[in-house]
Every structure is written in structure tokens, then in C-alpha cells.
Amino acid sequence: MKRLENKVAIITGGAAGIGAATAVKFAEDGAKVIIWDLDETKGKALAAQLNATFAKVNTANYAEIETAAKAVNDQFGRIDILINNAGITRDSTLKKMTIEQWQQVIDVNLTGVFYCTKIISEYMLVNNWGRIINASSVVGIYGNFGQANYVATKSALIGMTKTLARELGRKGITVNAIAPGFIATEMVAAMPENVIEAMKAKIPLARLGDPKEIANVYAFLASDEASYLNGHTLSVDGGMTV
């Protein structure tokens, strides 16, 4: 039997980057994959490739999540796994950061995770089983210049993960987080070469991470192999934070 055989998994921000790699990995491991994203073109194409399900969902919109989660439960009869992967950046120093930049990142990266977890955990509680995994970041642990909004959300997710692990653990639902380092996503690939080289210089493995390497950790935490891990934030950063 495959590691995630017939588990129903929702992956937010699943159309590209780490989310897309996770959708591929989960499908390979036997899960019934549901991709939530705002990018319909990429999302539908990936869903067709994987024989998965796609829905255009804004995770900062409570009503949209309610509707989409109900549709998943109606189709499959349950929801087993939630990967809170969706996130955005609106980088700026404190002096230059606008209220809009602050609020946009809070809405998606933090409030969106709260919305998704609040709604989807109710379906997990019915079966007394679930895996919720939140995407934090190494900058949520150590901070980063020009990312007060992003760092605030990623730090908050670590605290939320610990709290929800205490609340939901007794109901058979584990809540964990990952803290990726510098990963070779489309966004990073668009950066100047000198910036990428500076990133690599901070990493003992001397390279950026591959999205597949983050997907592998998501898959582990979603599986029965991680059944006694709860409330933990796992850094996946090539040793950058050693």
C-alpha cells in the first residue's frame, strides 16, 4: 500500500512551486488530491495531469473556503489532510511598507490559514483523524530585513501550530509546521544571480532546496509514519539555521 493511499488531501496554493511539487508527491503516494489556488490555468493543467481535483479558492475568503470544503466532503465523504501552503510576499522596509502591503500578507498567510483550519478541522473531527501541516519559514524563526509583514505571519503560524496541536491532538488530529529555507521556486529563479549566490553562501549544503524536498517532508508529516509528531516545526533548510 502506498503511504497516503486513498487519503483525501487539500493543498492550498497547489498550482505552482512547492504546492505543485506537493500535489505531485501526494498523488504518487496514492492520495486523492484537491488543489486550491487562484491560478486557474496552472491549477487545472496540473489537476488534469494528476487526475486530481482543482477549485479556484481565495483562502482569505471565509465563505469561499466553506463552499469549497463542503464540495470536497460531498464528493469524497471526508477530508483527511490539509496542507496550508498558500502564501504571498509584499516586501518592504517598515518605513516604506503600506497598510495595504501589511494587510494583504496578514490576510493570506495568517488569517487564511486560520480560516482553512477552522473549517476543515470540523470534517476531520467527524472521523477522529487528520493531518494539518502549516507552511512557516526559517525567517519566521530568525527574522529577515524588509519582511516585517511576512515574518510576522510565519512566526505566528509556529505559535498557532503549537496551540492547535494541544487543542486537536486528543481528537486524533495532529498539527505540525515546516520551516523551509531558500527553495528554488519560480519566484526565486527570477531573482538576480548575485542574490541567489548570496543565498547559497549561507547554506552549509551550498545549494538551494528543491521543491520536491519540501514535498517529501509534507508527505512524511501527513503519513502514519509521523503519527506521534504533534506541535512541531521542522526546519528544512540545508542546515542554514544550524
Side-chain angles (χ1 to χ4, degrees), residues 8-67:
V8 178
I10 294 174
I11 302 168
T12 71
I18 292 170
T22 303
V24 171
K25 176 62 177 173
F26 277 37
E28 290 174 348
D29 281 358
K32 299 181 187 302
V33 174
I34 298 91
I35 298 166
W36 285 0
D37 206 291
L38 291 175
D39 191 328
E40 288 188 88
T41 302
K42 288 184 178 179
K44 287 180 177 178
L46 182 60
Q49 172 190 328
L50 301 177
N51 192 28
T53 301
F54 170 78
K56 183 178 180 181
V57 180
N58 176 5
T59 56
N61 185 305
Y62 193 85
E64 283 191 26
I65 300 165
E66 278 190 312
T67 300

Side-chain angles (χ1 to χ4, degrees), residues 30 92 181:
S92 184

Side-chain angles (χ1 to χ4, degrees), residues 2-212:
K2 295 181 179 180
R3 176 190 276 181
L4 301 177
E5 191 75 38
N6 293 321
K7 295 296 185 185
V8 178
I10 294 174
I11 302 168
T12 71
I18 292 170
T22 303
V24 171
K25 176 62 177 173
F26 277 37
E28 290 174 348
D29 281 358
K32 299 181 187 302
V33 174
I34 298 91
I35 298 166
W36 285 0
D37 206 291
L38 291 175
D39 191 328
E40 288 188 88
T41 302
K42 288 184 178 179
K44 287 180 177 178
L46 182 60
Q49 172 190 328
L50 301 177
N51 192 28
T53 301
F54 170 78
K56 183 178 180 181
V57 180
N58 176 5
T59 56
N61 185 305
Y62 193 85
E64 283 191 26
I65 300 165
E66 278 190 312
T67 300
K70 183 178 184 301
V72 173
N73 191 67
D74 287 348
Q75 180 178 356
F76 297 103
R78 67 184 194 278
I79 302 173
D80 302 303
I81 300 164
L82 169 62
I83 306 297
N84 280 312
N85 177 75
I88 62 171
T89 57
R90 298 290 186 268
D91 296 349
S92 184
T93 60
L94 176 64
K95 183 176 179 63
K96 297 180 180 179
M97 186 175 292
T98 66
I99 300 303
E100 290 74 22
Q101 286 175 314
W102 170 267
Q103 197 61 53
Q104 286 170 356
V105 172
I106 297 295
D107 288 346
V108 175
N109 295 10
L110 183 58
T111 304
V113 172
F114 168 72
Y115 286 169
C116 287
T117 304
K118 181 174 176 60
I119 292 167
I120 292 169
S121 63
E122 290 296 322
Y123 293 101
M124 296 177 174
L125 288 168
V126 172
N127 296 315
N128 291 309
W129 197 97
R131 297 283 185 269
I132 298 170
I133 306 161
N134 300 322
S136 182
S137 169
V138 292
V139 304
I141 303 171
Y142 295 96
N144 199 31
F145 186 92
Q147 287 195 310
N149 49 4
Y150 185 79
V151 170
T153 63
K154 296 305 182 180
S155 295
L157 286 181
I158 293 173
M160 184 188 294
T161 295
K162 293 177 180 180
T163 298
L164 297 182
R166 290 177 178 271
E167 292 183 9
L168 298 175
R170 67 191 65 192
K171 303 295 185 179
I173 301 169
T174 64
V175 186
N176 291 290
I178 63 169
F182 295 137
I183 310 301
T185 60
E186 295 95 328
M187 181 177 67
V188 171
M191 293 180 176
E193 185 62 31
N194 64 314
V195 174
I196 294 175
E197 290 304 313
M199 288 180 179
K200 292 179 182 178
K202 298 178 180 179
I203 304 168
L205 290 183
R207 65 174 178 84
L208 302 183
D210 188 295
K212 294 178 182 178

Side-chain angles (χ1 to χ4, degrees), residues 213-227:
E213 293 174 303
I214 305 301
N216 289 339
V217 179
Y218 271 142
F220 165 67
L221 290 174
S223 74
D224 287 333
E225 296 166 14
S227 58

